[in-house]
C-alpha cells in the first residue's frame, strides 16, 4: 500500500497537519511519515504567464498590439518559489505515492493554488479534498476522517480559474491601453476601478454640496426637553423668523401631556461575524485597515488556532455545529470572559439567532474554536480582534435586549413637543458590550433621554425655549469601514430602481477575501490616500476615473460578474461562456480607450527631473510618507521625501515625520516641534536606550518602509489589474 501526499498552502499549516498525522521525518521541502508525506506551497507556486510568453512583441507596450487575447492561457512557475514547485512536482511523481489530499485553504483561491500546481506538474494521482474551518488538532483529525473526492470541488476551481483569467484579460489590456494612450502609469480593473469610482463620486458630492441653515425649537420642561414638530412632522425650519415667532408664542402658557405611550420592546442580538463585518468593526473601533484585520485573523486561525476560517461571507452556522457550542464556550472561559462564558455553557444556549443552514455556503461564520487561548501569547492587536469575535459570539447566543420605551406628546399651537425615553429592563446580549454598543451615529433631533414618571393629562411647566442653529451636512468621506460597506452593498449608491434591483440580487464588489487587497492596491498605486481615518481620492485617482471607459466604472456590471463567478462555483453557469464574454469586453474596452478624446495632465508634477530618464517627477503621498516617483512607468524611479515614523513627539505625542538625507535628517511634528536625527539618537541614549536599541529602531523603520503587504507572487503579478 502506497503513501498519501498531502499538499498544504503554507509551511506552518503543513507542520500542524504533519504533527496530527504522526509525520516526523524531515525531508527537503516536505515532512515524511509511515503513511503520509506532507508538503506545501508558498502561496501560489504557479501563475498565469505574462503577455510576452505568448509573443515577443508584447515585451514592448504599444497600442497597436492590443487587445491581447491568447487562445489558451499558459501556466508558468513563479521564479521566486520555483525550488519548492520542483519539490512538490517530484513528490507527485514519486512511485511510492498513490494518492493526493488537497489541504490548501478551503476556499476559491486555495483551490486554485492546488489545481494549478497539479495541472502544471501533470499530476495523475487520485485526489481528495480536506475541507475544514479551523486548524485545531481535532478539526484536522475529523477532516481526514471525512475526506471527499476532489471532483466535488471542480466547479469551485472553474470559478477561481475564471476569476484569474478575467482579471488578466480585463486588467492587463485596459492598463496597457491607458498607459500607452496617456503616457502615464495608470492601472484599471474589473473591481478596482468601480471601487475608485465610488470614492471619487463621494468626493464630488462633498465638493458640490451647499450647506443650508436650519433651526430647531426645543422646550425645557425641567426634568426633560421636548422637540417641537409642526403639523407635518417637521422639526427643522429654514426660516429663523418663524422659529423666533414660535418661541414668543409658546412661552408663558400652561401645557399638559396630551399623549403618552409605553411599550416594552426588544432588540435581537447582531448576527455573528463574517470577514467584512469584522473588518468594519475593527476599523471603527481600533482604526485597523481591512488588510491588517485579515492578517490578524489569519494568525488567530492558523497559528493560535483559536478562531475559525476568516475568509467567509456567512454570518451563521449550520445545525451540525450546535453540539459543539458548549465546548467552544468552555474553551474560551478565561479571564476576562470566564464568568459569562461558563454561565452560557451551563444554561440554555439560544441558537435561533446564529443557526441558518440556508445562509451558509462554503464556510460558516467566524466563531471561537474548541481550543482554549493563551492570551499572553497574543499580540495587543490580536487580542483586540479576538475580543471582538468572542463578545459577538456570546452576544449571538444570548437573549434579546429588552427595554421600556416611553413616548410623550405635548400639544402646542399647530404642532406639538415630542420626547422619548428608554429604560433597560433586561440587558440580554448587551451585557457583553456595556457602553461600547451605544449608537454613536444617532444624529436625530429627538434622541432618547431619561424621562421622569409621567401621566396622561399631567400639567407641565415650560421653563424656557431654546432655538438651536444647525447646518445640513455633506455626505461623509469614506473610511475603510464605510468603504467596505459600500463595496458589499453598492446598491446604496445607485438611484435607478431597475439597476438597484439587479445589484441587490448580486454579491457586491469583490468578495470578503478580496476587498482588503483591492483597497490596498488603490493606496499602492496612489489613486487614493488616507487623511486621518478618511479616504481621499488623489488628483491621479480623479483623472483616472474621468478617462476610463464609462461601463468599467459601473458597480452594477462588476457585481453581476461576481455573481456569475458564484454561479460557476455552484455549477449553474459555464466558465467558457463567462471567459468568452470577458474576451469580448476586453476588446471593447481597448477600442474605447483608443478612440477617446479625453486628456490626462499631471497636477502633482514637480520641477525636479528624473535622474534616470529626465521626465518631471511627481509628488505623491505614500502610506509611509511623501515621495517622488517618475511619471514614466517603464522607468520606475522613486525617491522618498518624508517618512512617517513610530517615534513620538515629546510635546504632543503624535508620530514624528523624518525628512532630509544623510546628516541632515530631521524629525518634524505638525505641532511645530523639530529635532535633528543625531540629537534624537543622543536623547534616546541619554534616556537609557543604548546604541543597539537605536540601531534596532532605525532598522525596523527601514524594514517597514521596504516591506510589502503580501509575500504572494500571484498577487504581485496581478496587483494593478483587478
Amino acid at each position: 500500500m502506497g503513501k498519501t501526499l498531502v499538499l498544504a498552502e503554507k509551511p506552518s499549516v503543513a507542520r500542524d497537519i504533519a504533527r496530527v498525522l504522526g509525520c516526523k521525518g524531515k525531508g527537503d521541502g516536505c515532512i515524511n511519515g509511515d503513511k503520509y508525506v506532507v508538503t506545501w506551497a508558498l502561496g501560489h507556486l504557479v501563475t498565469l504567464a505574462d503577455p510576452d510568453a505568448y509573443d515577443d512583441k508584447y515585451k514592448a507596450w504599444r497600442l497597436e498590439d492590443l487587445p491581447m487575447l491568447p487562445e489558451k492561457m499558459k501556466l508558468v512557475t513563479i521564479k521566486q518559489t520555483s525550488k519548492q514547485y520542483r519539490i512538490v512536482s517530484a513528490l507527485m511523481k514519486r512511485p511510492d505515492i498513490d494518492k493526493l489530499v488537497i489541504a490548501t485553504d478551503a476556499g476559491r483561491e486555495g483551490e486554485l493554488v492546488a489545481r494549478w500546481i497539479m495541472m502544471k506538474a501533470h499530476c495523475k494521482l487520485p485526489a481528495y479534498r480536506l475541507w475544514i474551518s479551523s486548524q485545531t488538532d481535532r478539526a484536522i483529525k475529523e477532516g481526514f476522517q471525512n475526506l471527499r473526492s476532489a471532483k466535488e470541488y471542480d466547479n469551485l476551481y472553474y470559478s477561481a480559474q475564471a476569476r484569474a483569467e478575467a482579471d488578466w484579460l480585463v486588467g492587463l489590456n485596459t492598463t496597457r491601453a491607458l498607459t500607452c494612450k496617456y503616457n502615464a502609469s495608470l492601472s484599471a480593473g474589473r473591481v478596482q476601478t468601480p471601487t475608485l469610482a465610488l470614492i471619487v463620486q463621494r468626493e464630488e458630492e462633498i465638493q458640490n454640496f451647499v450647506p443650508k441653515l436650519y433651526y430647531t425649537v426645543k422646550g425645557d420642561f425641567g426634568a426633560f426637553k421636548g422637540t417641537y414638530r409642526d403639523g407635518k412632522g417637521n422639526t427643522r425650519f429654514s426660516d429663523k423668523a418663524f422659529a423666533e415667532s414660535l418661541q414668543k408664542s409658546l412661552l408663558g402658557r400652561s401645557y399638559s401631556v396630551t399623549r403618552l405611550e409605553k411599550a416594552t420592546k426588544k432588540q435581537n442580538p447582531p448576527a455573528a461575524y463574517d470577514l467584512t463585518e469584522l473588518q468594519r468593526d475593527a476599523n471603527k473601533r481600533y482604526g485597523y485597515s481591512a488588510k491588517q484585520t485579515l492578517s490578524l485573523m489569519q494568525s488567530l486561525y492558523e497559528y493560535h488556532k483559536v478562531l475559525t476560517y476568516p475568509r467567509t461571507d456567512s454570518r451563521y452556522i449550520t445545525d451540525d455545529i450546535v453540539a459543539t457550542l458548549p465546548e467552544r464556550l468552555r474553551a474560551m472561559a478565561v479571564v476576562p470572559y470566564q464568568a459569562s462564558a461558563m454561565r452560557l455553557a451551563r444554561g440554555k444556549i439560544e441558537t435561533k439567532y446564529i443557526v441558518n443552514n440556508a445562509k451558509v455556503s462554503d464556510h460558516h461564520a467566524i466563531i471561537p474554536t474548541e481550543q482554549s487561548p493563551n492570551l499572553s501569547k497574543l499580540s495587543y492587536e490580536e487580542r483586540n480582534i479576538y475580543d471582538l469575535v468572542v463578545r459577538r459570539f456570546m452576544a449571538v447566543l444570548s437573549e434579546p435586549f429588552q427595554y421600556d420605551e416611553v413616548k410623550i406628546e405635548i400639544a402646542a399651537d399647530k404642532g406639538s413637543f415630542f420626547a422619548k425615553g428608554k429604560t433597560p429592563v433586561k440587558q440580554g446580549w448587551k451585557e457583553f458590550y456595556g457602553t461600547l454598543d451605544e449608537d454613536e451615529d444617532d444624529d436625530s433631533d429627538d434622541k432618547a433621554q431619561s424621562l421622569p414618571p409621567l401621566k396622561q393629562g399631567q400639567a407641565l411647566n415650560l421653563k424656557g425655549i431654546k432655538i438651536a442653529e444647525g447646518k445640513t451636512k455633506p455626505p461623509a468621506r469614506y473610511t475603510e469601514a464605510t468603504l467596505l460597506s459600500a463595496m458589499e452593498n453598492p446598491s446604496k449608491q445607485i438611484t435607478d430602481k431597475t439597476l438597484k434591483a439587479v445589484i441587490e440580487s448580486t454579491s457586491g464588489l469583490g468578495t470578503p477575501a478580496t476587498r482588503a487587497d483591492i483597497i490596498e492596491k488603490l493606496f499602492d498605486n496612489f489613486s487614493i490616500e488616507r487623511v486621518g481615518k478618511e479616504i481621499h481620492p488623489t488628483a491621479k485617482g480623479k483623472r483616472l476615473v474621468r478617462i476610463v471607459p464609462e461601463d468599467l466604472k459601473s458597480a452594477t456590471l462588476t457585481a453581476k460578474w461576481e455573481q456569475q463567478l458564484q454561479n460557476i462555483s455552484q455549477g449553474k453557469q459555464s466558465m467558457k461562456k463567462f471567459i468568452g464574454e470577458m474576451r469580448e469586453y476586453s476588446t471593447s474596452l481597448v477600442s474605447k480607450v483608443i478612440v477617446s478624446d479625453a486628456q490626462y495632465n499631471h497636477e502633482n508634477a514637480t520641477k525636479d527631473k528624473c535622474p534616470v530618464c529626465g521626465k518631471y517627477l511627481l509628488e505623491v503621498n505614500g502610506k509611509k510618507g511623501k515621495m517622488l516617483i517618475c511619471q514614466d512607468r517603464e522607468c520606475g524611479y522613486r525617491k522618498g521625501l518624508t517618512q512617517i515614523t513610530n517615534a513620538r513627539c515629546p510635546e504632543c505625542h503624535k508620530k514624528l515625520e523624518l525628512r532630509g538625507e544623510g546628516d541632515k535628517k530631521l524629525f518634524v511634528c505638525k505641532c511645530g516641534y523639530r529635532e535633528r536625527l543625531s540629537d534624537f539618537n543622543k536623547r534616546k541614549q541619554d534616556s537609557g536606550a543604548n546604541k543597539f536599541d537605536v540601531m534596532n529602531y532605525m532598522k525596523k523603520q527601514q524594514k517597514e518602509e521596504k516591506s510589502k503587504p503580501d509575500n504572494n507572487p500571484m498577487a504581485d503579478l496581478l496587483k494593478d489589474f483587478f
Side-chain angles (χ1 to χ4, degrees), residues 468-674:
E469 181 180 289
K471 283 185 179 180
T472 54
K473 297 178 181 178
R477 286 187 176 87
Y478 287 115
T479 62
E480 286 209 34
T482 56
L483 182 57
L484 285 166
S485 297
M487 293 174 74
E488 186 178 39
N489 301 295
S491 63
K492 293 180 180 178
Q493 279 70 46
I494 296 173
T495 54
D496 185 284
K497 291 184 179 179
T498 304
L499 293 180
K500 197 177 185 76
V502 170
I503 206 165
E504 283 177 348
S505 65
T506 66
S507 57
L509 299 178
T511 67
T514 62
R515 287 174 189 136
D517 278 336
I518 297 301
I519 295 172
E520 285 300 312
K521 287 171 178 62
L522 290 171
F523 283 118
D524 289 342
N525 62 36
F526 309 111
S527 294
I528 60 176
E529 61 187 7
R530 288 186 182 92
V531 179
K533 282 190 175 184
E534 293 182 338
I535 296 175
H536 292 235
T538 62
K540 175 183 177 179
K542 293 175 185 176
R543 276 178 162 67
L544 180 56
V545 166
R546 292 192 192 108
I547 64 175
V548 295
E550 193 64 32
D551 52 349
L552 186 58
K553 297 182 283 187
S554 168
T556 306
L557 183 63
T558 308
K560 287 175 69 177
W561 288 341
E562 205 62 54
Q563 185 66 42
Q564 287 178 278
L565 291 173
Q566 188 174 329
N567 288 340
I568 293 170
S569 71
Q570 297 170 354
K572 299 177 182 178
Q573 184 171 333
S574 160
M575 179 185 78
K576 186 176 180 180
K577 179 176 180 293
F578 177 76
I579 294 301
E581 292 175 357
M582 290 299 102
R583 290 169 68 90
E584 292 176 6
Y585 185 65
S586 300
T587 302
S588 168
L589 288 173
V590 170
S591 298
K592 289 176 180 178
V593 171
I594 292 174
V595 302
S596 173
D597 57 1
Q599 300 294 315
Y600 185 90
N601 298 310
H602 295 289
E603 275 188 354
N604 56 337
T606 68
K607 295 181 179 179
D608 298 321
K609 289 189 176 181
C610 175
V612 179
C613 70
K615 293 185 174 69
Y616 286 108
L617 294 171
L618 310 176
E619 183 177 305
V620 297
N621 290 317
K623 287 188 288 186
K624 294 293 183 181
K626 291 183 180 179
M627 59 195 308
L628 294 175
I629 64 171
C630 184
Q631 60 182 275
D632 190 332
R633 62 155 297 279
E634 292 189 358
C635 174
Y637 174 82
R638 55 180 57 198
K639 173 187 174 184
L641 289 178
T642 67
Q643 181 183 347
I644 300 171
T645 72
N646 289 324
R648 296 283 178 172
C649 173
E651 295 182 1
C652 72
H653 306 295
K654 291 181 179 177
K655 287 186 176 182
L656 291 169
E657 192 177 77
L658 189 61
R659 299 178 183 175
E661 297 178 354
D663 296 336
K664 296 182 179 180
K665 283 188 176 179
L666 182 73
F667 280 110
V668 178
C669 182
K670 292 179 180 179
C671 74
Y673 176 82
R674 301 167 76 87

Side-chain angles (χ1 to χ4, degrees), residues 391-412:
R391 290 183 187 279
R392 179 60 64 90
F393 180 61
M394 291 191 292
V396 77
L397 298 179
S398 302
E399 296 179 339
F401 165 63
Q402 292 185 28
Y403 60 95
D404 284 338
E405 185 178 75
V406 178
K407 293 182 179 180
I408 62 171
E409 179 181 348
I410 303 159

